[in-house]
Amino acid sequence: MKAGIRMWQSGLVAMLLFVSSQNHAGTEADVTVHGDRPGPIIHREIYGQFAEMLGRGIYGGIWVGENSSIPNIHGYRKDVVEALKAIKVPVIRWPGGCFADQYDWRDGIGPRDKRPARLNASWGGEESNQFGTHEFMDFAELIGAKTYLSINVGTGSPREMSQWIEYITADGHTSLAQERRANGRDKPWKIDYVGIGNEMWGCGGSMRPEFYADVYRQYATFLHSPNDTPIERIASGANADDVGWTDKVMSIAGSQIDGISLHYYTIPTGEWTHKGSATHFDEAEWMSTLQGAMHMDELIAKHSAVMDKYDPKKRVALVVDEWGNWMDQEPGSNDPALYQQNSLRDAVSAAITLDIFHAHADRVRMANIAQMVNVLQAMILTDKSKMVLTPTYDVFDMYKVFQGATYLPVDVQGPVYRYGNASVPGVHATAGRDASGVVHVALVNLDPHQADTVRVRLSGIKGTSVQGRVLTAPAMTSINTFDQPHVVEPKVFDGAKFGDGVLTVALPSKSVVVLDIR
């Protein structure tokens, strides 16, 4: 995960330093939801999570051990487990990230008091290996999530990969199946996805795409599931807008690929050495962050166009398995790597990104935000026995109604939010119809100052009642803390009313609203 960054920049931040007195030219928007033109299924896995072995993402965040005074379920934090189950986490990617390409799976099995400590060369410090294969697979099972294993290609071998998979999935009398049973697990687990390497252009081995494509073909050849349960094979894909990587890998190995990844992070300042504060930022960085989130649409379109050359039937998924906002670590924080707070800005940018994934659901069939707990744009922050849900968590909670829904195309016409010489659409939207027939519409107001009146026209949809929730806060920098955990949280929304066949919505500034229409 370390190098997977295109620092979103094109002179934007300098341009945004101008203070603008202009915002919307108007305060009205029109959104048409095309229920008569249903699109593809919004795969649940778009709402996937990422948990790498770094910082407090695992230890203290997910795992505290059975003997901890913190309430736990067989060593897993009870509060974190319940919170993740509540948002219906569909899939978890583990153990990396960059960490994966230094990981020896055998270090993380057997009695915990006999597991070796290793240097964490990617993120510093030592890895105790107290959380290993059994702990991860049991955790995914506990919260009802699918499993996505990142395989060590950088320092590993096809033999190590095939033996790890056999250890997890074999249901016979092989030595590896018996070893798993001796370590406490009788029945095999199910592996749903395997990532063959991570960021092979960078921390995974500094490879050229042609070389990696051949390495991928070798690994894919030896990827077997002993119980004949299919495992989806995910190739290590591009860094942001490097479509050349996608082109080469698809041309050489496309027939053996089930999905190819894409990594993209938004950095507010565009500067790796000074990314910007997660909590103390001005409107210029609010704007640059939202523009960075909007760039995801262009990236997906470019990579999809390349994939279409080799896969016009869209068999191969584009898997955005690292995405999110990357800011500076909290000032004065004693936490290990990549701990950052999470504000209303993160919630708005997350909603925009999820909207974009929905619009590309024909190709984007899994995504994994970075990361789940205590790292980067996390769902949850913990401090010893304390836990707080972030604004990003709230968006995933509100948007969970879209998991498995049929995408309904939307047209948006409305005001433009401007700051200095930069601009973005003032209103962003998405829609879907779930299996029970309920239509869900999400509206995002990107403007931190102006409220909007949004007229939602439902084409081919009969709706007579509406209810919803809204997420907003007093300031664009508003956060939840351990002492004040409810500053940013969803509330019942009563600002939507039907009249003359049109749904009129009073959309607050800097807000996310999700409506359920029956």
Short mmCIF file of all heavy atoms in Angstrom, two decimals, residues 333-357:
data_model
loop_
_atom_site.label_atom_id
_atom_site.label_comp_id
_atom_site.label_asym_id
_atom_site.label_seq_id
_atom_site.Cartn_x
_atom_site.Cartn_y
_atom_site.Cartn_z
N SER A 333 1.00 12.91 17.71
CA SER A 333 0.49 11.57 17.96
C SER A 333 1.63 10.60 18.23
O SER A 333 2.65 10.60 17.54
CB SER A 333 -0.32 11.08 16.75
OG SER A 333 -0.65 9.73 16.89
N ASN A 334 1.44 9.78 19.25
CA ASN A 334 2.42 8.74 19.55
C ASN A 334 2.07 7.43 18.86
O ASN A 334 2.73 6.42 19.06
CB ASN A 334 2.50 8.50 21.07
CG ASN A 334 3.08 9.71 21.79
OD1 ASN A 334 4.00 10.34 21.30
ND2 ASN A 334 2.51 10.02 22.95
N ASP A 335 1.00 7.48 18.07
CA ASP A 335 0.57 6.27 17.40
C ASP A 335 1.58 5.86 16.33
O ASP A 335 2.25 6.71 15.74
CB ASP A 335 -0.80 6.48 16.74
CG ASP A 335 -1.91 6.52 17.76
OD1 ASP A 335 -2.21 5.46 18.31
OD2 ASP A 335 -2.45 7.61 18.01
N PRO A 336 1.65 4.56 16.05
CA PRO A 336 2.47 4.11 14.92
C PRO A 336 1.89 4.60 13.59
O PRO A 336 1.01 5.44 13.55
CB PRO A 336 2.40 2.58 15.04
CG PRO A 336 1.97 2.30 16.43
CD PRO A 336 1.09 3.45 16.81
N ALA A 337 2.35 4.00 12.54
CA ALA A 337 2.15 4.53 11.19
C ALA A 337 0.70 4.81 10.83
O ALA A 337 -0.22 4.05 11.12
CB ALA A 337 2.73 3.54 10.19
N LEU A 338 0.51 5.95 10.17
CA LEU A 338 -0.67 6.30 9.37
C LEU A 338 -1.97 6.46 10.15
O LEU A 338 -3.06 6.27 9.60
CB LEU A 338 -0.87 5.26 8.25
CG LEU A 338 0.33 5.02 7.34
CD1 LEU A 338 -0.06 4.16 6.16
CD2 LEU A 338 0.96 6.31 6.86
N TYR A 339 -1.88 6.86 11.40
CA TYR A 339 -3.09 7.18 12.15
C TYR A 339 -3.50 8.61 11.80
O TYR A 339 -2.71 9.54 11.91
CB TYR A 339 -2.85 7.07 13.65
CG TYR A 339 -4.07 7.42 14.49
CD1 TYR A 339 -5.01 6.46 14.81
CD2 TYR A 339 -4.28 8.72 14.94
CE1 TYR A 339 -6.12 6.77 15.58
CE2 TYR A 339 -5.38 9.05 15.71
CZ TYR A 339 -6.31 8.07 16.02
OH TYR A 339 -7.41 8.39 16.78
N GLN A 340 -4.75 8.78 11.33
CA GLN A 340 -5.25 10.12 11.04
C GLN A 340 -6.71 10.23 11.45
O GLN A 340 -7.44 9.24 11.45
CB GLN A 340 -5.08 10.46 9.56
CG GLN A 340 -5.95 9.67 8.61
CD GLN A 340 -5.65 9.95 7.13
OE1 GLN A 340 -4.49 10.03 6.72
NE2 GLN A 340 -6.69 10.09 6.33
N GLN A 341 -7.10 11.44 11.82
CA GLN A 341 -8.50 11.70 12.17
C GLN A 341 -9.34 11.70 10.89
O GLN A 341 -8.84 11.52 9.78
CB GLN A 341 -8.63 13.03 12.92
CG GLN A 341 -8.99 12.90 14.38
CD GLN A 341 -10.43 12.41 14.59
OE1 GLN A 341 -11.21 12.19 13.67
NE2 GLN A 341 -10.79 12.24 15.85
N ASN A 342 -10.64 11.95 11.07
CA ASN A 342 -11.59 11.76 10.00
C ASN A 342 -12.70 12.78 10.18
O ASN A 342 -13.37 12.79 11.23
CB ASN A 342 -12.12 10.32 10.12
CG ASN A 342 -12.81 9.82 8.88
OD1 ASN A 342 -13.84 10.36 8.50
ND2 ASN A 342 -12.27 8.78 8.28
N SER A 343 -12.90 13.65 9.20
CA SER A 343 -13.85 14.75 9.34
C SER A 343 -15.02 14.62 8.39
O SER A 343 -15.11 13.67 7.59
CB SER A 343 -13.13 16.08 9.08
OG SER A 343 -12.86 16.21 7.69
N LEU A 344 -15.89 15.62 8.44
CA LEU A 344 -17.00 15.67 7.50
C LEU A 344 -16.50 15.67 6.06
O LEU A 344 -17.15 15.13 5.16
CB LEU A 344 -17.86 16.91 7.77
CG LEU A 344 -19.11 17.07 6.89
CD1 LEU A 344 -20.10 15.95 7.11
CD2 LEU A 344 -19.76 18.43 7.15
N ARG A 345 -15.34 16.28 5.82
CA ARG A 345 -14.75 16.27 4.48
C ARG A 345 -14.55 14.84 3.98
O ARG A 345 -14.82 14.54 2.80
CB ARG A 345 -13.41 17.01 4.50
CG ARG A 345 -12.63 16.94 3.20
CD ARG A 345 -11.34 17.73 3.23
NE ARG A 345 -10.40 17.29 4.26
CZ ARG A 345 -9.11 17.62 4.27
NH1 ARG A 345 -8.62 18.41 3.33
NH2 ARG A 345 -8.32 17.20 5.24
N ASP A 346 -14.09 13.94 4.85
CA ASP A 346 -13.89 12.55 4.46
C ASP A 346 -15.22 11.89 4.11
O ASP A 346 -15.30 11.08 3.18
CB ASP A 346 -13.22 11.78 5.59
CG ASP A 346 -11.81 12.29 5.87
OD1 ASP A 346 -10.90 11.98 5.10
OD2 ASP A 346 -11.64 13.03 6.86
N ALA A 347 -16.26 12.24 4.85
CA ALA A 347 -17.58 11.66 4.57
C ALA A 347 -18.07 12.07 3.19
O ALA A 347 -18.57 11.24 2.41
CB ALA A 347 -18.57 12.08 5.65
N VAL A 348 -17.97 13.36 2.88
CA VAL A 348 -18.44 13.85 1.59
C VAL A 348 -17.64 13.23 0.44
O VAL A 348 -18.21 12.80 -0.57
CB VAL A 348 -18.39 15.39 1.55
CG1 VAL A 348 -18.69 15.92 0.16
CG2 VAL A 348 -19.38 15.98 2.56
N SER A 349 -16.32 13.16 0.60
CA SER A 349 -15.50 12.58 -0.48
C SER A 349 -15.76 11.09 -0.62
O SER A 349 -15.75 10.56 -1.74
CB SER A 349 -14.02 12.86 -0.23
OG SER A 349 -13.56 12.22 0.94
N ALA A 350 -16.02 10.38 0.48
CA ALA A 350 -16.36 8.96 0.39
C ALA A 350 -17.66 8.74 -0.34
O ALA A 350 -17.78 7.83 -1.18
CB ALA A 350 -16.44 8.35 1.79
N ALA A 351 -18.66 9.58 -0.06
CA ALA A 351 -19.95 9.45 -0.75
C ALA A 351 -19.80 9.68 -2.25
O ALA A 351 -20.36 8.94 -3.06
CB ALA A 351 -20.94 10.45 -0.15
N ILE A 352 -19.01 10.69 -2.63
CA ILE A 352 -18.77 10.94 -4.05
C ILE A 352 -18.14 9.71 -4.71
O ILE A 352 -18.54 9.28 -5.80
CB ILE A 352 -17.84 12.16 -4.22
CG1 ILE A 352 -18.52 13.44 -3.78
CG2 ILE A 352 -17.38 12.30 -5.68
CD1 ILE A 352 -17.58 14.63 -3.66
N THR A 353 -17.14 9.14 -4.05
CA THR A 353 -16.43 7.99 -4.61
C THR A 353 -17.35 6.79 -4.76
O THR A 353 -17.33 6.10 -5.80
CB THR A 353 -15.23 7.63 -3.73
OG1 THR A 353 -14.39 8.79 -3.57
CG2 THR A 353 -14.41 6.51 -4.34
N LEU A 354 -18.17 6.52 -3.76
CA LEU A 354 -19.12 5.41 -3.87
C LEU A 354 -20.12 5.64 -4.99
O LEU A 354 -20.48 4.70 -5.72
CB LEU A 354 -19.82 5.20 -2.53
CG LEU A 354 -18.92 4.72 -1.39
CD1 LEU A 354 -19.66 4.77 -0.05
CD2 LEU A 354 -18.40 3.31 -1.65
N ASP A 355 -20.57 6.89 -5.17
CA ASP A 355 -21.45 7.22 -6.29
C ASP A 355 -20.78 6.84 -7.61
O ASP A 355 -21.43 6.30 -8.53
CB ASP A 355 -21.76 8.72 -6.31
CG ASP A 355 -22.63 9.19 -5.17
OD1 ASP A 355 -23.11 8.35 -4.39
OD2 ASP A 355 -22.83 10.42 -5.05
N ILE A 356 -19.50 7.15 -7.74
CA ILE A 356 -18.76 6.86 -8.96
C ILE A 356 -18.64 5.35 -9.18
O ILE A 356 -18.81 4.86 -10.31
CB ILE A 356 -17.37 7.54 -8.91
CG1 ILE A 356 -17.53 9.07 -8.99
CG2 ILE A 356 -16.47 7.03 -10.04
CD1 ILE A 356 -16.27 9.84 -8.66
N PHE A 357 -18.36 4.61 -8.13
CA PHE A 357 -18.31 3.15 -8.26
C PHE A 357 -19.65 2.61 -8.77
O PHE A 357 -19.68 1.71 -9.63
CB PHE A 357 -17.97 2.50 -6.92
CG PHE A 357 -16.57 2.75 -6.43
CD1 PHE A 357 -16.26 2.61 -5.08
CD2 PHE A 357 -15.56 3.13 -7.29
CE1 PHE A 357 -14.97 2.81 -4.61
CE2 PHE A 357 -14.25 3.35 -6.82
CZ PHE A 357 -13.97 3.19 -5.48
#
